[in-house]
Amino acid sequence: MTYKNPYMGEQTWPEVNILETLRQRNPLVVCITNDVVRTFTANGLLAIGASPVMSECSEDLKDLIVHASALLINIGTLTPDKASYYKDAIALAKKHEVPIVLDPVGCHAGAYRLSVVLELIHTGAISLLRGNQSEIKAIYDALNLDNKKDDSTTGKGVDGAQVEDSAVIAYRLARLINCPVVATGEEDYVSDGTRVFAVPHGHPIMTAVTGTGCLLGAVLAAFFSAYYPCKNRLSIGEFLAYALAYYGLAGESAVKVSGVKPGSFSVVFMDSLYTLDDTVLMSENRIRPVVVPDQLQVYFISGTQDVELNENRLLSVVEEACRGGVTCFQFREKGVGTLGGQQKLELAQELKQICAKYNVLYVINDDVDLAMAVNADGVHVGQEDMRLKEVRNIVGHKVVGISIYSVEELHKTDVIYADCVGVGPMYATSSKPDAQAPCGPNRITELQAEGLILPCVGIGGITLDNAKPVLQAGACGVAVISAIAHADSPYEAAQQFKTLVGGTV
């Protein structure tokens, strides 16, 4: 199916053929992996259409790395000599601009493993971190010494355990180490520091077969190396979510043939990886967009109507606000004298570049076609705009936000198709001439009592002086327009809101 977009003239979006692209590129993945899984990993990479090569010393790697599409470092059978080799390998890969995937096997189970992983992360050269949720949490906790360790979520062995709030941890860690993070468990999460996606892990039998987790690290390395042709259509987070979906689908497909038998499963799983195609991958709706509270803490909304119809001023304000700490920006271009057509498209593209630079979630107000044309992170619609189901059908895995004013609106809204909610106006506002009467912060509490479980922000007339009651009522954050757009220093205003919200929620 193609999508025709008025902002793109007669052009259409072509189908995304991720597996076909990967197999045509046949990426060479250099694997520095553990002794237990070498054969399984090599066979798995061959099955997906990649070329594996195993390396165990720096002298060998110097010859291989110049031909490599990606490097996998799996610390499963760790020794001091191997730890030294990992560092040499990272230096070589960095020199030749080869992406590096780190699989921190068992780092939650021992101090030495964790210390090695932290050293490798501190090189600043890791392109993708993939671990189970216990491993990812251990790394996050170690990098956040101010956070108290929650021993109840500590995993055992290398398999680990399901850790609560793994989506939040993946998002925070991705931002902290400036690379995508994959956290696997009963449900897998991937975050690139801007977006978060959830994907079903596959069949439980996969955790009973040694090597499936380690092979996933290698598969992600192969996918990561094949991202470039898809970068204009998919964020790296969504692209990796498709890799997880493919892996899980292959596991479920294998069980249908082998039954729940670990030995038989291993063989049939390779067949499934080999035969599964893009048609199946794209037809299975396995990827779920996730909005974590952190993304909504300081939600800035603006358009040229808020800065005296000055495009350059808007770009400057948005950049200052992003630099100051806003976590989400919504481009809302409405009113007399505002932009349309090609001018609106070009401005939206420039704003996207600014938001991407600072890992700020970028949302388009109302205009679904514009959101698709610029590949924004999401779209926000009002009650009088397109129905949520139609929006979801068009935007796929983008974030979908919806405005809700009352309990009555909540009950008539198909919130199942939304990811977050804007509630308001909280207070009187001059930014939206047709705004309804203020409903006050208590409206958030009322809506949550009536079943609203999506993360929400309060909007309308919010300032530094009146924001706290909105947060105390249950909002994840505050959406502001004038308080940042009209501030003498949008940078400082954003910083102040960030500090306020961080100290309240």
Side-chain angles (χ1 to χ4, degrees):
M1 175 180 140
T2 56
Y3 170 62
K4 294 185 178 180
N5 190 308
Y7 285 99
M8 300 172 64
E10 296 302 315
Q11 298 181 53
T12 59
W13 285 120
E15 294 285 353
V16 176
N17 295 310
I18 295 174
L19 296 176
E20 181 182 342
T21 299
L22 171 68
R23 288 160 179 163
Q24 287 177 347
R25 292 173 74 91
N26 185 226
L28 176 67
V29 181
V30 178
C31 301
I32 303 173
T33 191
N34 68 73
D35 301 338
V36 181
V37 302
R38 285 196 185 99
T39 301
F40 192 79
T41 299
N43 285 337
L45 284 173
L46 288 169
I48 72 170
S51 293
V53 61
M54 306 295 160
S55 181
E56 296 187 5
C57 67
S58 298
E59 290 75 16
D60 175 56
L61 187 60
K62 288 176 184 176
D63 296 326
L64 298 175
I65 201 69
V66 296
H67 306 291
S69 299
L71 170 69
L72 168 70
I73 297 178
N74 175 306
I75 70 162
T77 47
L78 177 63
T79 67
D81 287 342
K82 287 182 179 178
S84 178
Y85 176 37
Y86 300 153
K87 295 174 191 174
D88 292 344
I90 286 175
L92 283 169
K94 185 176 181 180
K95 177 182 177 181
H96 293 280
E97 299 183 339
V98 174
I100 304 162
V101 174
L102 175 62
D103 192 335
V105 179
C107 71
H108 60 300
Y112 177 61
R113 283 177 178 267
L114 183 58
S115 69
V116 169
V117 169
L118 295 178
E119 281 189 62
L120 300 182
I121 289 173
H122 284 312
T123 64
I126 304 302
S127 308
L128 170 64
L129 179 67
R130 176 272 152 194
N132 66 47
Q133 291 172 5
S134 293
E135 293 159 353
I136 296 302
K137 185 176 189 299
I139 295 168
Y140 176 72
D141 286 341
L143 293 173
N144 285 270
L145 298 179
D146 292 337
N147 289 2
K148 292 183 179 179
K149 190 84 171 179
D150 180 2
D151 293 332
S152 67
T153 59
T154 301
K156 59 181 181 178
V158 296
D159 297 322
Q162 186 80 6
V163 177
E164 196 173 350
D165 297 328
S166 290
V168 177
I169 292 172
Y171 172 78
R172 292 178 179 175
L173 185 56
R175 295 176 71 85
L176 194 60
I177 65 177
N178 196 33
C179 79
V181 171
V182 170
T184 57
E186 292 178 15
E187 187 167 44
D188 298 340
Y189 297 100
V190 56
S191 177
D192 53 18
T194 302
R195 296 292 312 278
V196 184
F197 300 93
V199 184
H201 183 66
H203 195 278
I205 191 66
M206 296 173 74
T207 62
V209 177
T210 296
T212 54
C214 294
L215 173 57
L216 176 57
V219 168
L220 289 169
F223 270 81
F224 195 94
S225 71
Y227 171 59
Y228 184 80
C230 301
K231 70 182 182 67
N232 291 328
R233 291 290 311 277
L234 303 173
S235 68
I236 184 62
E238 185 175 0
F239 184 79
L240 293 171
Y242 273 111
L244 293 172
Y246 161 63
Y247 203 72
L249 277 168
E252 292 177 5
S253 175
V255 168
K256 292 177 182 178
V257 177
S258 69
V260 187
K261 303 171 185 175
S264 303
F265 172 83
S266 297
V267 175
V268 180
F269 182 52
M270 294 295 164
D271 295 339
S272 295
L273 289 172
Y274 181 78
T275 57
L276 200 147
D277 60 21
D278 284 299
T279 301
V280 175
L281 178 60
M282 294 300 170
S283 65
E284 295 283 345
N285 187 24
R286 295 177 66 87
I287 299 172
R288 177 170 61 88
V290 176
V291 172
V292 299
D294 294 36
Q295 294 171 294
L296 302 179
Q297 287 187 343
V298 185
Y299 191 132
F300 178 39
I301 303 171
S302 194
T304 60
Q305 71 278 353
D306 303 305
V307 289
E308 300 176 339
L309 302 178
N310 187 325
E311 295 174 49
N312 290 331
R313 174 61 181 159
L314 178 62
L315 293 170
S316 174
V317 167
V318 171
E319 176 131 24
E320 282 193 58
C322 288
R323 193 165 57 87
V326 301
T327 56
C328 179
F329 172 66
Q330 181 188 130
F331 178 39
R332 179 178 175 273
E333 185 74 357
K334 285 189 173 182
V336 178
T338 54
L339 302 178
Q342 185 65 25
Q343 289 181 306
K344 186 178 180 182
L345 173 65
E346 291 174 0
L347 180 57
Q349 290 169 329
E350 291 185 80
L351 290 168
K352 179 194 172 183
Q353 292 174 2
I354 293 172
C355 291
K357 178 180 176 181
Y358 295 94
N359 279 345
V360 170
L361 193 70
Y362 179 47
V363 176
I364 302 291
N365 178 266
D366 288 354
D367 197 335
V368 174
D369 291 327
L370 181 63
M372 294 299 292
V374 302
N375 194 22
D377 296 314
V379 62
H380 185 92
V381 295
Q383 290 289 327
E384 305 304 318
D385 300 316
M386 187 184 297
R387 291 179 61 84
L388 281 177
K389 185 176 181 179
E390 295 175 45
V391 173
R392 177 59 72 196
N393 287 338
I394 293 174
V395 305
H397 305 126
K398 294 186 185 300
V399 169
V400 175
I402 179 69
S403 297
I404 294 179
Y405 174 73
S406 63
V407 171
E408 291 73 22
E409 283 188 353
L410 172 64
H411 290 321
K412 74 176 186 179
T413 301
D414 292 329
V415 291
I416 189 174
Y417 299 108
D419 304 301
C420 57
V421 173
V423 180
M426 295 286 98
Y427 310 108
T429 175
S430 58
S431 298
K432 190 175 180 183
D434 59 346
Q436 295 171 284
C439 59
N442 287 339
R443 182 58 50 82
I444 295 171
T445 307
E446 293 173 8
L447 291 171
Q448 291 174 338
E450 286 291 323
L452 177 63
I453 60 174
L454 293 176
C456 69
V457 294
I459 183 173
I462 295 174
T463 66
L464 284 166
D465 293 330
N466 62 22
K468 190 170 288 187
V470 177
L471 301 168
Q472 292 171 335
C476 298
V478 290
V480 297
I481 300 177
S482 301
I484 292 179
H486 297 169
D488 292 336
S489 170
Y491 168 79
E492 290 182 5
Q495 278 197 320
Q496 290 171 325
F497 273 107
K498 182 73 170 174
T499 300
L500 175 68
V501 176
T504 306
V505 297

